[in-house]
Amino acid sequence: MRQFTARQFGVTKDGKPVTEYTLENTAGVTMSVLDYGCRIRTIYVPDRDGKPQNVCMGFAEMAPYEKGGCFGAIIGRFANRIKGAKFTLDGIEYTLPANDHENYIHGDFEHTLFHCEPYDDRLEFTYLSPAGEWGFPGNVVLSATYALTEDGAVELTYKAMTDAATVINITNHSYFNLEGLPEESRDVSADDVNVYTHKLWIDADSYLEADAINMVTGNEISVTGNEFDFRTMKKIGQFKYDHNFCVNGYDGSLKKCAEAVSEKTGIKMEVFTTQPGIQCYTGARKAVALETQHFPDGPHHPEWPSTVLRPGEVYIEKTVYKFGTES
């Protein structure tokens, strides 16, 4: 019989207890999640030989999570970057923290304690983001449901409502390495683990051009004939990616947009999303993040899918990471 387990993972610097919840399905897939930033700490998946491998980068104690970084966390209120750390909505200019050069990036949900209602197959997190938090307008009620299905899928569903017009863009910032990772990922050196030989497929004919500090320019570039063409599965290699790919055929329905495979373990991960973009980020190259989201700097580009949320509307987006094996 399936059931969740819970334990105290640690305590924040200001004395608040952090709980870790673990879900397990009958096929041997387990997922552990912290209520601190809704962070996925581990995902154990059987490899082609049936040996459990942790495929999600995380830490065994609280300190690294509080120090910084988005490891496994929910991201918001607005994932990715907003140019100049400001935007105008309905004629009003809003100023955000400039925490990435002169631009804004991500927000601070990663360091927020969420309320959690645990169930045998899912965790339901909620948080009230007050008006003015990180400069954004509107009191936003956010819920994030993390489910583990019997067929090896991690399903992430985000819902939000607001009492004033605002912009919103939610994602999860897990780093994956399908060859397997220790639970204490800071012990992994760049020489020990990388994703160079992971094979990757992304269903995108184009990506968003970015400048030297990774801010999108507004130009949509074809992937044909360059290192961004993953329409045929190929090895990730050593190019450093931090780019938004434009998902083909976006219409708001749940569609498969990417797949990664490790030849070493046989573990594969299929990615499905309702969102128009997927940020491929290889960071220090130990792991790869495939962050489904609306486009970076969306508030400055009305020609792109809208990130505006108004009173009476419900923001709802879903992402699925489905795990399995190849022989």
Side-chain angles (χ1 to χ4, degrees):
M1 184 180 71
R2 295 184 62 179
Q3 62 180 9
F4 73 89
T5 58
R7 70 179 182 105
Q8 183 171 321
F9 178 75
V11 179
T12 64
K13 288 182 289 188
D14 57 357
K16 296 177 181 177
V18 173
T19 302
E20 178 181 59
Y21 300 90
T22 300
L23 303 176
E24 181 174 2
N25 70 11
T26 56
V29 178
T30 65
M31 173 176 66
S32 63
V33 185
L34 308 179
D35 55 6
Y36 181 76
C38 300
R39 292 176 184 264
I40 300 176
R41 193 177 75 82
T42 63
I43 301 174
Y44 277 90
V45 179
D47 63 18
R48 65 163 62 92
D49 297 320
K51 181 181 178 181
Q53 302 285 352
N54 175 36
V55 298
C56 186
M57 185 172 281
F59 302 101
E61 56 187 26
M62 272 299 298
Y65 288 122
E66 287 197 284
K67 185 177 181 180
C70 303
F71 295 95
I74 190 172
I75 301 299
R77 281 192 191 186
F78 199 97
N80 221 302
R81 296 167 176 86
I82 295 178
K83 189 173 183 178
K86 63 179 65 174
F87 67 94
T88 299
L89 179 60
D90 296 340
I92 302 173
E93 184 176 87
Y94 297 95
T95 300
L96 315 173
N99 60 335
D100 185 60
H101 302 281
E102 67 269 25
N103 306 311
Y104 154 96
I105 187 171
H106 288 341
D108 202 37
F109 282 175
E110 69 214 58
H111 296 123
T112 298
L113 269 174
F114 284 69
H115 173 75
C116 181
E117 289 290 338
Y119 299 88
D120 291 347
D121 63 344
R122 68 193 187 280
L123 305 169
E124 296 184 357
F125 296 96
T126 53
Y127 174 65
L128 171 60
S129 178
E133 186 171 42
W134 275 65
F136 289 94
N139 295 292
V140 170
V141 178
L142 173 68
S143 70
T145 300
Y146 288 25
L148 177 62
T149 69
E150 281 298 282
D151 62 351
V154 172
E155 298 184 346
L156 310 178
T157 305
Y158 311 112
K159 295 181 181 180
M161 296 182 68
T162 183
D163 63 0
T166 192
V167 295
I168 190 165
N169 188 18
I170 305 298
T171 191
N172 176 273
H173 208 309
S174 289
Y175 293 85
F176 298 102
N177 188 308
L178 305 181
E179 292 186 356
L181 292 161
E183 289 194 15
E184 186 54 81
S185 293
R186 64 181 174 182
D187 292 339
V188 179
S189 74
D191 294 332
D192 294 327
V193 175
N194 61 64
V195 290
Y196 300 156
T197 61
H198 278 52
K199 290 186 176 180
L200 180 64
W201 170 82
I202 300 177
D203 187 18
D205 293 335
S206 60
Y207 70 99
L208 298 182
E209 182 183 56
D211 63 19
I213 56 174
N214 297 317
M215 171 55 66
V216 294
T217 65
N219 296 324
E220 192 171 322
I221 308 296
S222 171
V223 302
T224 300
N226 57 48
E227 61 267 29
F228 298 94
D229 193 349
F230 287 97
R231 292 173 298 183
T232 299
M233 184 171 278
K234 66 178 183 180
K235 292 181 180 180
I236 293 176
Q238 298 188 34
F239 185 86
K240 187 173 181 179
Y241 293 95
D242 190 6
H243 298 81
N244 181 91
F245 289 77
C246 306
V247 175
N248 289 336
Y250 166 72
D251 61 6
S253 64
L254 187 68
K255 293 183 176 182
K256 183 175 177 178
C257 62
E259 181 176 339
V261 179
S262 164
E263 292 182 331
K264 179 179 177 180
T265 63
I267 296 174
K268 69 175 180 179
M269 181 180 73
E270 299 173 276
V271 185
F272 301 78
T273 190
T274 57
Q275 305 224 59
I278 180 168
Q279 187 87 3
C280 178
Y281 177 53
T282 53
R285 303 181 179 89
K286 298 178 187 179
V288 59
L290 296 170
E291 307 157 64
T292 59
Q293 58 190 264
H294 273 57
F295 294 171
D297 202 31
H300 291 135
H301 294 274
E303 72 275 18
W304 292 344
S306 177
T307 56
V308 175
L309 179 66
R310 298 185 180 278
E313 299 175 344
V314 179
Y315 168 95
I316 180 167
E317 300 290 352
K318 184 172 184 176
T319 293
V320 178
Y321 296 104
K322 185 177 181 181
F323 297 94
T325 56
E326 292 187 344
S327 58

